Amino acid sequence: MFSSGPELGLAGMQRIIRKSGAERVSDDAANELRMVLEQIAEKIAKSAIELSQHAGRKTIKPEDIRLATRTVLRT
């Protein structure tokens, strides 16, 4: 990770879990989801950077993120 603290908010994680059908969400569960999503997001970002560099670009485009997401979630 690039920063010392989490990038995603705990309240947002609780909302995502509730939208999925949970009545109650512990802080520990929301924090665990946050950690997992941040790890996945970092892998996607790194893959998207590689894709853009391979294409000769410095700018990450939406298609880089989409392709990187498909690649990362398949593994």
Side-chain angles (χ1 to χ4, degrees):
M1 290 279 195
F2 296 109
S3 67
S4 59
E7 298 295 331
L8 301 174
L10 196 61
M13 300 300 102
Q14 291 173 332
R15 282 191 300 274
I16 289 170
I17 296 170
R18 281 196 201 99
K19 281 183 181 181
S20 296
E23 289 184 36
R24 298 181 66 195
V25 181
S26 71
D27 286 347
D28 288 340
N31 189 51
E32 187 66 25
L33 179 61
R34 171 172 49 189
M35 290 188 316
V36 169
L37 290 179
E38 286 185 359
Q39 289 172 359
I40 293 168
E42 188 172 338
K43 289 178 183 179
I44 291 169
K46 286 179 180 180
S47 180
I49 291 167
E50 291 174 9
L51 290 167
S52 70
Q53 289 173 343
H54 181 72
R57 293 183 277 104
K58 291 183 178 182
T59 302
I60 307 299
K61 295 190 172 190
E63 55 266 24
D64 298 323
I65 297 295
R66 284 191 291 269
L67 182 56
T69 300
R70 285 195 298 265
T71 302
V72 168
L73 293 181
R74 245 185 247 150
T75 59

